[in-house]
Amino acid sequence: SYELTQPPSMSVSPGQTASVTCSGDKLGYKYVSWYQQKPGQSPVLVIYQDFKRPSGIPERFSGSNSGNTATLTISGTQAMDEADYYCQAWDSSVVFGGGTKLTVL
Amino acid sequence: QVQLQQSGPGLVKPSQILSLNCAISGDSVSTNSAPWNWLRQSPSRGLEWLGRTYYRSKWYNDYAVSVKSRITINPDTSKNQFSLHLNSVTPEDTAVYYCARGVEVAGAPSPGYYFDYWGQGTLVTVSS
């Protein structure tokens, strides 16, 4: 079955850029979505179709996808961006990455 | 604005049936443009898609291989909601369960699929 791999955790200083990666075989040929999840809350869609932002998602969130890696980039990271981030794709079924815990410190 | 409101018990005994409902506002369960999904999340299994129901001139269901023998997702057009039934549960089925609206994206060589609206989540514990 298809797998998406994310680093379990990463940290970033406020105001800096965070790049969360998601890797999978030929992932660049698939559409990737990203979800933000804060403790006790439901996931929130922040990027879909590799780079598109839903209404209401700040412009500091961006996405890219090429080769075997998709990347969620958060520019000018804020304390409120501290959360778990999950990538997701479709490969005959829904596939999620294991999630990356982003710490802003 | 689409809203999904989940309801159902938070405690289920082993071997029994887990049943949850998801009431839809701002959209229709019978829409031709959106599948309606159930997912769950646990520390051991992460985020896991369970299945979906959708209407394309008739009703269809798709289920994850991991639960296919035990799951049923049903639409209820009279109440504009859909339900999840998972039978023969074990403690491994303990998780937070979510309903969500799906969005299909045509594409080549691979189509896309994502979730734009989620319910509030229901923690279901399987225990005697």
Side-chain angles (χ1 to χ4, degrees), chain B residues 50-103:
Chain B
L50 300 177
R52 63 183 180 178
T53 189
Y54 56 99
Y55 186 76
R56 301 287 184 271
S57 302
K58 68 174 186 177
W59 289 101
Y60 294 87
N61 289 296
D62 296 318
Y63 299 129
V65 170
S66 60
V67 295
K68 191 168 187 175
S69 64
R70 301 191 290 131
I71 190 173
T72 304
I73 296 176
N74 290 323
D76 183 342
T77 56
S78 66
K79 296 181 178 179
N80 200 30
Q81 65 182 28
F82 62 108
S83 63
L84 166 70
H85 301 283
L86 186 66
N87 60 40
S88 304
V89 296
T90 72
E92 285 292 303
D93 294 309
T94 295
V96 177
Y97 286 75
Y98 295 99
C99 59
R101 188 176 80 167
V103 180

Short mmCIF file of all heavy atoms in Angstrom, two decimals, chain B residues 50-103:
data_model
loop_
_atom_site.label_atom_id
_atom_site.label_comp_id
_atom_site.label_asym_id
_atom_site.label_seq_id
_atom_site.Cartn_x
_atom_site.Cartn_y
_atom_site.Cartn_z
N LEU B 50 -12.14 5.74 6.78
CA LEU B 50 -12.93 4.51 6.93
C LEU B 50 -13.82 4.24 5.73
O LEU B 50 -14.00 3.07 5.34
CB LEU B 50 -13.78 4.59 8.19
CG LEU B 50 -13.02 4.76 9.49
CD1 LEU B 50 -13.99 4.90 10.65
CD2 LEU B 50 -12.08 3.57 9.71
N GLY B 51 -14.41 5.28 5.16
CA GLY B 51 -15.28 5.05 4.03
C GLY B 51 -16.11 6.28 3.70
O GLY B 51 -16.01 7.31 4.36
N ARG B 52 -16.95 6.13 2.67
CA ARG B 52 -17.75 7.25 2.20
C ARG B 52 -19.03 6.77 1.55
O ARG B 52 -19.11 5.62 1.09
CB ARG B 52 -16.96 8.11 1.23
CG ARG B 52 -16.56 7.37 -0.04
CD ARG B 52 -15.71 8.25 -0.95
NE ARG B 52 -15.31 7.54 -2.17
CZ ARG B 52 -14.60 8.07 -3.15
NH1 ARG B 52 -14.20 9.34 -3.07
NH2 ARG B 52 -14.29 7.36 -4.22
N THR B 53 -19.99 7.67 1.49
CA THR B 53 -21.20 7.45 0.74
C THR B 53 -21.42 8.65 -0.18
O THR B 53 -21.06 9.77 0.19
CB THR B 53 -22.42 7.24 1.68
OG1 THR B 53 -23.55 6.83 0.90
CG2 THR B 53 -22.77 8.51 2.44
N TYR B 54 -21.96 8.41 -1.36
CA TYR B 54 -22.19 9.52 -2.28
C TYR B 54 -23.26 9.16 -3.28
O TYR B 54 -23.51 7.98 -3.57
CB TYR B 54 -20.90 9.94 -3.00
CG TYR B 54 -20.17 8.85 -3.75
CD1 TYR B 54 -20.31 8.71 -5.12
CD2 TYR B 54 -19.33 7.97 -3.08
CE1 TYR B 54 -19.64 7.72 -5.81
CE2 TYR B 54 -18.65 6.98 -3.76
CZ TYR B 54 -18.80 6.86 -5.11
OH TYR B 54 -18.13 5.86 -5.79
N TYR B 55 -23.87 10.19 -3.82
CA TYR B 55 -24.99 10.03 -4.73
C TYR B 55 -24.59 10.50 -6.12
O TYR B 55 -24.17 11.63 -6.31
CB TYR B 55 -26.20 10.83 -4.24
CG TYR B 55 -27.44 10.60 -5.06
CD1 TYR B 55 -28.17 9.42 -4.91
CD2 TYR B 55 -27.88 11.54 -5.98
CE1 TYR B 55 -29.31 9.20 -5.67
CE2 TYR B 55 -29.02 11.33 -6.73
CZ TYR B 55 -29.73 10.15 -6.57
OH TYR B 55 -30.85 9.93 -7.33
N ARG B 56 -24.71 9.60 -7.07
CA ARG B 56 -24.47 9.92 -8.48
C ARG B 56 -25.56 9.22 -9.28
O ARG B 56 -25.35 8.19 -9.89
CB ARG B 56 -23.07 9.45 -8.93
CG ARG B 56 -21.92 10.04 -8.15
CD ARG B 56 -21.67 11.49 -8.48
NE ARG B 56 -20.48 11.98 -7.78
CZ ARG B 56 -20.49 12.51 -6.57
NH1 ARG B 56 -21.64 12.60 -5.91
NH2 ARG B 56 -19.36 12.95 -6.02
N SER B 57 -26.75 9.76 -9.20
CA SER B 57 -27.95 9.15 -9.78
C SER B 57 -28.42 7.93 -8.98
O SER B 57 -29.59 7.55 -9.08
CB SER B 57 -27.76 8.76 -11.25
OG SER B 57 -27.41 9.87 -12.02
N LYS B 58 -27.54 7.33 -8.26
CA LYS B 58 -27.90 6.32 -7.27
C LYS B 58 -26.82 6.37 -6.18
O LYS B 58 -25.80 7.04 -6.34
CB LYS B 58 -27.99 4.93 -7.89
CG LYS B 58 -26.66 4.34 -8.35
CD LYS B 58 -26.85 2.89 -8.81
CE LYS B 58 -25.52 2.24 -9.13
NZ LYS B 58 -25.66 0.81 -9.51
N TRP B 59 -27.07 5.66 -5.10
CA TRP B 59 -26.13 5.70 -3.97
C TRP B 59 -25.00 4.69 -4.14
O TRP B 59 -25.21 3.56 -4.56
CB TRP B 59 -26.88 5.43 -2.67
CG TRP B 59 -27.76 6.58 -2.27
CD1 TRP B 59 -29.11 6.67 -2.44
CD2 TRP B 59 -27.33 7.79 -1.68
NE1 TRP B 59 -29.55 7.88 -1.98
CE2 TRP B 59 -28.49 8.60 -1.51
CE3 TRP B 59 -26.10 8.29 -1.26
CZ2 TRP B 59 -28.44 9.88 -0.93
CZ3 TRP B 59 -26.05 9.56 -0.70
CH2 TRP B 59 -27.20 10.33 -0.54
N TYR B 60 -23.81 5.18 -3.77
CA TYR B 60 -22.61 4.35 -3.78
C TYR B 60 -21.93 4.42 -2.42
O TYR B 60 -22.06 5.40 -1.68
CB TYR B 60 -21.62 4.84 -4.85
CG TYR B 60 -22.10 4.69 -6.26
CD1 TYR B 60 -22.86 5.69 -6.87
CD2 TYR B 60 -21.79 3.55 -7.00
CE1 TYR B 60 -23.29 5.56 -8.18
CE2 TYR B 60 -22.21 3.42 -8.31
CZ TYR B 60 -22.97 4.42 -8.89
OH TYR B 60 -23.40 4.28 -10.19
N ASN B 61 -21.16 3.38 -2.11
CA ASN B 61 -20.31 3.37 -0.93
C ASN B 61 -18.93 2.84 -1.29
O ASN B 61 -18.80 1.94 -2.13
CB ASN B 61 -20.91 2.47 0.16
CG ASN B 61 -22.15 3.05 0.78
OD1 ASN B 61 -22.12 4.09 1.42
ND2 ASN B 61 -23.25 2.38 0.59
N ASP B 62 -17.93 3.41 -0.65
CA ASP B 62 -16.57 2.88 -0.73
C ASP B 62 -16.07 2.73 0.70
O ASP B 62 -16.29 3.63 1.53
CB ASP B 62 -15.62 3.83 -1.48
CG ASP B 62 -16.01 4.01 -2.93
OD1 ASP B 62 -16.36 3.00 -3.57
OD2 ASP B 62 -15.96 5.15 -3.43
N TYR B 63 -15.36 1.63 0.96
CA TYR B 63 -14.88 1.38 2.31
C TYR B 63 -13.39 1.04 2.29
O TYR B 63 -12.89 0.43 1.35
CB TYR B 63 -15.65 0.22 2.95
CG TYR B 63 -17.13 0.46 3.08
CD1 TYR B 63 -18.06 -0.47 2.62
CD2 TYR B 63 -17.62 1.63 3.69
CE1 TYR B 63 -19.43 -0.25 2.76
CE2 TYR B 63 -18.98 1.85 3.83
CZ TYR B 63 -19.88 0.91 3.36
OH TYR B 63 -21.23 1.13 3.49
N ALA B 64 -12.72 1.42 3.36
CA ALA B 64 -11.31 1.05 3.50
C ALA B 64 -11.18 -0.46 3.68
O ALA B 64 -12.02 -1.10 4.34
CB ALA B 64 -10.70 1.78 4.70
N VAL B 65 -10.14 -1.00 3.11
CA VAL B 65 -9.91 -2.45 3.18
C VAL B 65 -9.84 -2.92 4.63
O VAL B 65 -10.35 -3.99 4.98
CB VAL B 65 -8.62 -2.81 2.43
CG1 VAL B 65 -8.22 -4.26 2.70
CG2 VAL B 65 -8.77 -2.56 0.94
N SER B 66 -9.28 -2.09 5.50
CA SER B 66 -9.05 -2.49 6.89
C SER B 66 -10.34 -2.74 7.66
O SER B 66 -10.34 -3.46 8.66
CB SER B 66 -8.22 -1.42 7.60
OG SER B 66 -8.91 -0.17 7.59
N VAL B 67 -11.45 -2.15 7.23
CA VAL B 67 -12.71 -2.29 7.97
C VAL B 67 -13.85 -2.78 7.07
O VAL B 67 -14.99 -2.86 7.51
CB VAL B 67 -13.13 -0.96 8.64
CG1 VAL B 67 -12.12 -0.56 9.71
CG2 VAL B 67 -13.29 0.15 7.59
N LYS B 68 -13.55 -3.14 5.85
CA LYS B 68 -14.58 -3.40 4.86
C LYS B 68 -15.59 -4.46 5.28
O LYS B 68 -16.77 -4.38 4.95
CB LYS B 68 -13.93 -3.81 3.53
CG LYS B 68 -14.87 -3.85 2.36
CD LYS B 68 -14.12 -3.98 1.05
CE LYS B 68 -15.07 -3.83 -0.12
NZ LYS B 68 -14.36 -3.83 -1.42
N SER B 69 -15.15 -5.45 6.03
CA SER B 69 -16.05 -6.53 6.43
C SER B 69 -16.96 -6.14 7.59
O SER B 69 -17.91 -6.87 7.91
CB SER B 69 -15.25 -7.77 6.80
OG SER B 69 -14.44 -7.49 7.94
N ARG B 70 -16.70 -4.99 8.21
CA ARG B 70 -17.42 -4.64 9.44
C ARG B 70 -18.19 -3.31 9.36
O ARG B 70 -18.88 -2.96 10.31
CB ARG B 70 -16.44 -4.52 10.61
CG ARG B 70 -15.64 -5.77 10.90
CD ARG B 70 -14.91 -5.65 12.23
NE ARG B 70 -13.82 -4.68 12.19
CZ ARG B 70 -13.64 -3.73 13.10
NH1 ARG B 70 -14.49 -3.58 14.10
NH2 ARG B 70 -12.61 -2.90 13.00
N ILE B 71 -18.06 -2.59 8.25
CA ILE B 71 -18.55 -1.21 8.23
C ILE B 71 -19.74 -1.04 7.29
O ILE B 71 -19.84 -1.74 6.25
CB ILE B 71 -17.41 -0.25 7.78
CG1 ILE B 71 -17.81 1.21 7.97
CG2 ILE B 71 -17.00 -0.54 6.34
CD1 ILE B 71 -16.67 2.20 7.70
N THR B 72 -20.63 -0.14 7.70
CA THR B 72 -21.70 0.31 6.83
C THR B 72 -21.86 1.82 7.03
O THR B 72 -21.90 2.29 8.17
CB THR B 72 -23.05 -0.37 7.17
OG1 THR B 72 -22.89 -1.79 7.11
CG2 THR B 72 -24.12 0.05 6.18
N ILE B 73 -21.94 2.54 5.93
CA ILE B 73 -22.23 3.98 5.97
C ILE B 73 -23.51 4.20 5.20
O ILE B 73 -23.62 3.80 4.03
CB ILE B 73 -21.08 4.80 5.37
CG1 ILE B 73 -19.81 4.63 6.22
CG2 ILE B 73 -21.46 6.27 5.29
CD1 ILE B 73 -18.59 5.33 5.66
N ASN B 74 -24.49 4.81 5.86
CA ASN B 74 -25.81 5.00 5.24
C ASN B 74 -26.21 6.46 5.20
O ASN B 74 -26.06 7.17 6.20
CB ASN B 74 -26.87 4.25 6.04
CG ASN B 74 -26.74 2.75 5.91
OD1 ASN B 74 -26.41 2.24 4.85
ND2 ASN B 74 -27.00 2.03 6.99
N PRO B 75 -26.77 6.91 4.08
CA PRO B 75 -27.35 8.24 4.03
C PRO B 75 -28.77 8.22 4.58
O PRO B 75 -29.46 7.18 4.49
CB PRO B 75 -27.35 8.56 2.54
CG PRO B 75 -27.53 7.22 1.89
CD PRO B 75 -26.84 6.22 2.78
N ASP B 76 -29.19 9.33 5.13
CA ASP B 76 -30.58 9.50 5.58
C ASP B 76 -31.07 10.81 4.99
O ASP B 76 -30.82 11.88 5.54
CB ASP B 76 -30.65 9.51 7.10
CG ASP B 76 -32.08 9.60 7.62
OD1 ASP B 76 -32.98 9.99 6.84
OD2 ASP B 76 -32.29 9.32 8.80
N THR B 77 -31.73 10.73 3.87
CA THR B 77 -32.12 11.95 3.17
C THR B 77 -33.21 12.71 3.91
O THR B 77 -33.27 13.93 3.82
CB THR B 77 -32.61 11.61 1.75
OG1 THR B 77 -33.69 10.67 1.83
CG2 THR B 77 -31.49 11.00 0.92
N SER B 78 -34.02 12.02 4.69
CA SER B 78 -35.10 12.69 5.40
C SER B 78 -34.57 13.62 6.49
O SER B 78 -35.18 14.62 6.83
CB SER B 78 -36.06 11.67 6.00
OG SER B 78 -35.42 10.92 7.01
N LYS B 79 -33.41 13.26 7.04
CA LYS B 79 -32.80 14.06 8.10
C LYS B 79 -31.55 14.79 7.64
O LYS B 79 -30.89 15.47 8.43
CB LYS B 79 -32.46 13.18 9.30
CG LYS B 79 -33.67 12.56 9.97
CD LYS B 79 -33.26 11.72 11.17
CE LYS B 79 -34.48 11.13 11.86
NZ LYS B 79 -34.10 10.28 13.02
N ASN B 80 -31.20 14.65 6.38
CA ASN B 80 -29.99 15.23 5.83
C ASN B 80 -28.78 14.89 6.68
O ASN B 80 -28.05 15.76 7.17
CB ASN B 80 -30.10 16.75 5.65
CG ASN B 80 -29.09 17.29 4.66
OD1 ASN B 80 -28.69 16.60 3.71
ND2 ASN B 80 -28.65 18.52 4.87
N GLN B 81 -28.56 13.62 6.85
CA GLN B 81 -27.42 13.16 7.65
C GLN B 81 -26.94 11.83 7.11
O GLN B 81 -27.55 11.25 6.22
CB GLN B 81 -27.82 13.02 9.12
CG GLN B 81 -28.86 11.94 9.40
CD GLN B 81 -29.24 11.89 10.89
OE1 GLN B 81 -29.18 12.88 11.60
NE2 GLN B 81 -29.63 10.71 11.35
N PHE B 82 -25.84 11.37 7.62
CA PHE B 82 -25.35 10.05 7.27
C PHE B 82 -24.78 9.40 8.52
O PHE B 82 -24.42 10.09 9.48
CB PHE B 82 -24.34 10.09 6.11
CG PHE B 82 -23.08 10.87 6.36
CD1 PHE B 82 -21.87 10.23 6.55
CD2 PHE B 82 -23.09 12.26 6.38
CE1 PHE B 82 -20.70 10.94 6.76
CE2 PHE B 82 -21.95 12.99 6.59
CZ PHE B 82 -20.74 12.33 6.78
N SER B 83 -24.72 8.11 8.49
CA SER B 83 -24.36 7.37 9.70
C SER B 83 -23.21 6.41 9.44
O SER B 83 -22.93 6.02 8.31
CB SER B 83 -25.57 6.60 10.22
OG SER B 83 -25.97 5.63 9.26
N LEU B 84 -22.57 6.05 10.53
CA LEU B 84 -21.51 5.05 10.53
C LEU B 84 -21.93 3.92 11.45
O LEU B 84 -22.37 4.16 12.58
CB LEU B 84 -20.19 5.64 11.05
CG LEU B 84 -19.09 4.65 11.41
CD1 LEU B 84 -18.53 3.98 10.17
CD2 LEU B 84 -17.97 5.34 12.19
N HIS B 85 -21.80 2.70 10.97
CA HIS B 85 -22.01 1.53 11.81
C HIS B 85 -20.80 0.62 11.64
O HIS B 85 -20.48 0.22 10.51
CB HIS B 85 -23.29 0.79 11.41
CG HIS B 85 -24.52 1.63 11.50
ND1 HIS B 85 -25.13 1.93 12.70
CD2 HIS B 85 -25.22 2.26 10.54
CE1 HIS B 85 -26.18 2.71 12.45
NE2 HIS B 85 -26.24 2.93 11.16
N LEU B 86 -20.15 0.34 12.74
CA LEU B 86 -18.98 -0.53 12.74
C LEU B 86 -19.26 -1.66 13.71
O LEU B 86 -19.44 -1.42 14.91
CB LEU B 86 -17.73 0.26 13.14
CG LEU B 86 -16.40 -0.47 13.04
CD1 LEU B 86 -16.06 -0.77 11.59
CD2 LEU B 86 -15.28 0.36 13.68
N ASN B 87 -19.32 -2.89 13.20
CA ASN B 87 -19.70 -3.98 14.09
C ASN B 87 -18.49 -4.76 14.59
O ASN B 87 -17.36 -4.54 14.16
CB ASN B 87 -20.73 -4.90 13.42
CG ASN B 87 -20.20 -5.51 12.14
OD1 ASN B 87 -19.04 -5.91 12.06
ND2 ASN B 87 -21.04 -5.60 11.13
N SER B 88 -18.77 -5.62 15.55
CA SER B 88 -17.73 -6.49 16.14
C SER B 88 -16.52 -5.68 16.60
O SER B 88 -15.37 -6.01 16.29
CB SER B 88 -17.29 -7.56 15.13
OG SER B 88 -18.38 -8.31 14.68
N VAL B 89 -16.77 -4.60 17.33
CA VAL B 89 -15.67 -3.74 17.73
C VAL B 89 -14.80 -4.38 18.80
O VAL B 89 -15.26 -5.22 19.58
CB VAL B 89 -16.17 -2.36 18.20
CG1 VAL B 89 -16.86 -1.62 17.07
CG2 VAL B 89 -17.07 -2.49 19.42
N THR B 90 -13.54 -3.96 18.81
CA THR B 90 -12.58 -4.38 19.82
C THR B 90 -11.93 -3.12 20.39
O THR B 90 -12.11 -2.02 19.85
CB THR B 90 -11.49 -5.28 19.21
OG1 THR B 90 -10.63 -4.48 18.39
CG2 THR B 90 -12.09 -6.40 18.36
N PRO B 91 -11.14 -3.26 21.43
CA PRO B 91 -10.45 -2.07 21.96
C PRO B 91 -9.60 -1.35 20.90
O PRO B 91 -9.36 -0.15 21.03
CB PRO B 91 -9.59 -2.66 23.08
CG PRO B 91 -10.40 -3.81 23.58
CD PRO B 91 -11.01 -4.42 22.34
N GLU B 92 -9.17 -2.07 19.87
CA GLU B 92 -8.40 -1.45 18.79
C GLU B 92 -9.21 -0.40 18.03
O GLU B 92 -8.63 0.43 17.32
CB GLU B 92 -7.93 -2.51 17.80
CG GLU B 92 -6.77 -3.35 18.30
CD GLU B 92 -5.51 -2.52 18.41
OE1 GLU B 92 -5.09 -1.92 17.40
OE2 GLU B 92 -4.93 -2.46 19.52
N ASP B 93 -10.52 -0.44 18.16
CA ASP B 93 -11.38 0.54 17.49
C ASP B 93 -11.57 1.80 18.32
O ASP B 93 -12.27 2.72 17.87
CB ASP B 93 -12.73 -0.10 17.16
CG ASP B 93 -12.62 -1.21 16.14
OD1 ASP B 93 -12.00 -0.97 15.08
OD2 ASP B 93 -13.14 -2.32 16.40
N THR B 94 -10.98 1.84 19.49
CA THR B 94 -11.03 3.06 20.29
C THR B 94 -10.30 4.19 19.57
O THR B 94 -9.13 4.05 19.18
CB THR B 94 -10.38 2.83 21.67
OG1 THR B 94 -11.18 1.88 22.40
CG2 THR B 94 -10.28 4.12 22.45
N ALA B 95 -11.00 5.29 19.35
CA ALA B 95 -10.44 6.38 18.56
C ALA B 95 -11.37 7.58 18.63
O ALA B 95 -12.50 7.48 19.11
CB ALA B 95 -10.27 5.97 17.09
N VAL B 96 -10.89 8.72 18.13
CA VAL B 96 -11.76 9.85 17.85
C VAL B 96 -12.26 9.68 16.42
O VAL B 96 -11.46 9.53 15.50
CB VAL B 96 -11.02 11.19 18.00
CG1 VAL B 96 -11.95 12.34 17.63
CG2 VAL B 96 -10.50 11.35 19.42
N TYR B 97 -13.57 9.68 16.27
CA TYR B 97 -14.19 9.50 14.96
C TYR B 97 -14.65 10.85 14.42
O TYR B 97 -15.23 11.65 15.17
CB TYR B 97 -15.36 8.53 15.06
CG TYR B 97 -14.91 7.10 15.23
CD1 TYR B 97 -14.41 6.64 16.45
CD2 TYR B 97 -14.96 6.21 14.16
CE1 TYR B 97 -13.96 5.33 16.60
CE2 TYR B 97 -14.52 4.89 14.29
CZ TYR B 97 -14.02 4.47 15.51
OH TYR B 97 -13.58 3.18 15.66
N TYR B 98 -14.39 11.07 13.13
CA TYR B 98 -14.79 12.31 12.47
C TYR B 98 -15.63 12.00 11.24
O TYR B 98 -15.34 11.04 10.51
CB TYR B 98 -13.56 13.08 11.99
CG TYR B 98 -12.63 13.59 13.05
CD1 TYR B 98 -11.46 12.91 13.37
CD2 TYR B 98 -12.90 14.78 13.73
CE1 TYR B 98 -10.59 13.38 14.34
CE2 TYR B 98 -12.03 15.26 14.70
CZ TYR B 98 -10.89 14.56 15.00
OH TYR B 98 -10.02 15.04 15.96
N CYS B 99 -16.61 12.86 10.99
CA CYS B 99 -17.23 12.88 9.67
C CYS B 99 -16.65 14.07 8.91
O CYS B 99 -16.19 15.05 9.53
CB CYS B 99 -18.75 12.94 9.75
SG CYS B 99 -19.44 14.36 10.61
N ALA B 100 -16.68 13.99 7.59
CA ALA B 100 -16.08 15.05 6.79
C ALA B 100 -16.67 15.04 5.38
O ALA B 100 -17.05 13.98 4.86
CB ALA B 100 -14.56 14.89 6.72
N ARG B 101 -16.73 16.20 4.79
CA ARG B 101 -17.14 16.30 3.39
C ARG B 101 -15.93 16.13 2.50
O ARG B 101 -14.87 16.75 2.74
CB ARG B 101 -17.80 17.66 3.10
CG ARG B 101 -18.42 17.71 1.71
CD ARG B 101 -19.14 19.03 1.46
NE ARG B 101 -18.21 20.09 1.10
CZ ARG B 101 -18.61 21.25 0.59
NH1 ARG B 101 -19.90 21.49 0.42
NH2 ARG B 101 -17.72 22.18 0.29
N GLY B 102 -16.06 15.31 1.48
CA GLY B 102 -14.97 15.09 0.54
C GLY B 102 -15.13 15.95 -0.70
O GLY B 102 -16.23 16.37 -1.06
N VAL B 103 -13.99 16.21 -1.33
CA VAL B 103 -13.97 16.93 -2.60
C VAL B 103 -13.14 16.11 -3.58
O VAL B 103 -12.00 15.75 -3.30
CB VAL B 103 -13.35 18.33 -2.46
CG1 VAL B 103 -13.36 19.04 -3.81
CG2 VAL B 103 -14.10 19.15 -1.42
#
